[in-house]
Coordinates of all heavy atoms in Angstrom, one line a residue:
D505 N -12.7 3.9 6.1 CA -13.0 5.0 5.3 C -14.5 5.4 5.3 O -14.9 6.4 4.9 CB -12.5 4.7 3.9 CG -13.1 3.5 3.2 OD1 -13.6 2.7 3.9 OD2 -12.9 3.5 2.0
H506 N -15.3 4.5 5.9 CA -16.7 4.8 5.9 C -17.3 4.5 7.4 O -16.6 3.6 8.1 CB -17.6 3.9 4.9 CG -17.6 4.5 3.6 ND1 -16.4 4.5 2.7 CD2 -18.5 5.1 2.8 CE1 -16.6 5.0 1.6 NE2 -17.9 5.4 1.6
I507 N -18.3 5.1 7.8 CA -18.9 4.9 9.0 C -20.4 4.5 8.8 O -21.1 5.1 8.1 CB -18.9 6.1 9.9 CG1 -17.3 6.4 10.3 CG2 -19.6 6.0 11.3 CD1 -17.2 7.8 11.0
D508 N -20.8 3.4 9.5 CA -22.2 3.0 9.4 C -23.0 3.8 10.4 O -22.7 4.0 11.6 CB -22.3 1.5 9.9 CG -21.8 0.6 8.7 OD1 -21.6 1.1 7.6 OD2 -21.6 -0.6 9.0
V509 N -24.2 4.4 9.9 CA -25.1 5.2 10.7 C -26.5 4.6 10.5 O -27.0 4.4 9.3 CB -25.0 6.6 10.4 CG1 -25.3 6.9 8.9 CG2 -25.9 7.4 11.3
Q524 N -29.6 14.4 2.9 CA -28.5 14.7 3.7 C -27.5 13.5 3.8 O -26.3 13.8 4.1 CB -29.0 15.1 5.2 CG -29.7 16.4 5.2 CD -30.2 16.7 6.7 OE1 -29.9 16.0 7.6 NE2 -30.9 17.9 6.8
L525 N -27.8 12.5 3.5 CA -27.0 11.2 3.3 C -26.4 11.0 1.9 O -25.3 11.0 1.7 CB -27.8 9.9 3.7 CG -28.0 9.8 5.3 CD1 -29.1 8.7 5.5 CD2 -26.8 9.6 6.1
R528 N -23.9 13.5 0.7 CA -22.6 13.3 1.2 C -21.9 11.9 0.7 O -20.9 11.6 1.2 CB -22.6 13.2 2.7 CG -22.9 14.7 3.4 CD -23.1 14.5 4.9 NE -23.1 15.8 5.5 CZ -24.1 16.5 5.7 NH1 -25.3 16.1 5.3 NH2 -24.0 17.8 6.3
G529 N -22.5 11.3 -0.2 CA -21.8 10.1 -0.8 C -22.2 8.8 0.0 O -21.6 7.8 -0.3
A530 N -23.2 8.9 0.9 CA -23.5 7.7 1.6 C -24.4 6.7 0.8 O -25.0 7.1 -0.2 CB -24.4 8.1 2.9
V531 N -24.3 5.5 1.1 CA -25.0 4.4 0.3 C -25.7 3.6 1.3 O -25.3 3.3 2.4 CB -24.0 3.5 -0.5 CG1 -23.4 4.4 -1.6 CG2 -23.0 2.9 0.3
W572 N -26.9 3.0 6.8 CA -26.3 3.7 5.7 C -24.8 3.8 5.9 O -24.4 4.0 7.1 CB -26.9 5.1 5.4 CG -28.2 5.0 4.9 CD1 -29.5 4.7 5.4 CD2 -28.6 5.4 3.4 NE1 -30.5 4.7 4.5 CE2 -30.0 5.3 3.4 CE3 -27.8 5.9 2.4 CZ2 -30.6 5.5 2.1 CZ3 -28.5 6.1 1.2 CH2 -29.8 5.9 1.1
S573 N -23.9 3.6 5.0 CA -22.6 3.8 5.0 C -22.1 5.2 4.5 O -22.3 5.4 3.4 CB -21.8 2.6 4.3 OG -20.5 2.8 4.4
I574 N -21.6 6.0 5.3 CA -21.3 7.4 5.0 C -19.7 7.5 5.0 O -19.1 7.0 5.9 CB -22.0 8.4 5.9 CG1 -21.7 9.9 5.5 CG2 -21.6 8.1 7.4 CD1 -22.7 10.8 6.3
P575 N -19.1 8.3 4.0 CA -17.7 8.5 4.1 C -17.4 9.1 5.3 O -18.0 10.1 5.9 CB -17.5 9.5 3.0 CG -18.6 9.2 2.0 CD -19.8 8.8 2.8
A576 N -16.3 8.6 6.0 CA -15.9 9.1 7.4 C -15.7 10.6 7.4 O -15.9 11.2 8.3 CB -14.6 8.3 7.8
D577 N -15.1 11.1 6.2 CA -14.8 12.6 6.3 C -16.0 13.5 6.2 O -16.0 14.7 6.3 CB -13.8 12.9 5.2 CG -14.3 12.7 3.8 OD1 -15.3 12.1 3.7 OD2 -13.5 13.0 2.9
Q578 N -17.2 12.8 6.0 CA -18.5 13.5 5.9 C -19.3 13.3 7.2 O -20.4 14.0 7.3 CB -19.2 13.1 4.7 CG -18.6 13.2 3.4 CD -18.4 14.8 3.0 OE1 -19.3 15.6 3.4 NE2 -17.3 15.1 2.5
F579 N -18.8 12.4 8.1 CA -19.8 12.1 9.2 C -19.9 13.3 10.1 O -20.9 13.5 10.7 CB -19.2 10.8 9.9 CG -20.0 10.3 11.1 CD1 -21.2 9.7 10.8 CD2 -19.5 10.5 12.3 CE1 -21.9 9.1 11.8 CE2 -20.3 9.9 13.4 CZ -21.5 9.3 13.2
G580 N -18.8 14.0 10.3 CA -18.9 15.1 11.3 C -19.9 16.1 10.9 O -20.7 16.6 11.7
F582 N -22.5 15.8 9.0 CA -23.8 15.2 9.1 C -24.3 15.3 10.5 O -25.4 15.6 10.8 CB -23.7 13.7 8.6 CG -25.1 12.9 8.8 CD1 -26.1 13.3 8.0 CD2 -25.1 12.0 9.8 CE1 -27.3 12.6 8.2 CE2 -26.3 11.3 9.9 CZ -27.5 11.6 9.1

Side-chain angles (χ1 to χ4, degrees):
D505 56 346
H506 281 68
I507 295 173
D508 289 346
V509 58
Q524 293 183 358
L525 290 167
R528 287 179 167 88
V531 295
W572 287 72
S573 180
I574 184 170
D577 60 358
Q578 299 295 319
F579 185 70
F582 175 71

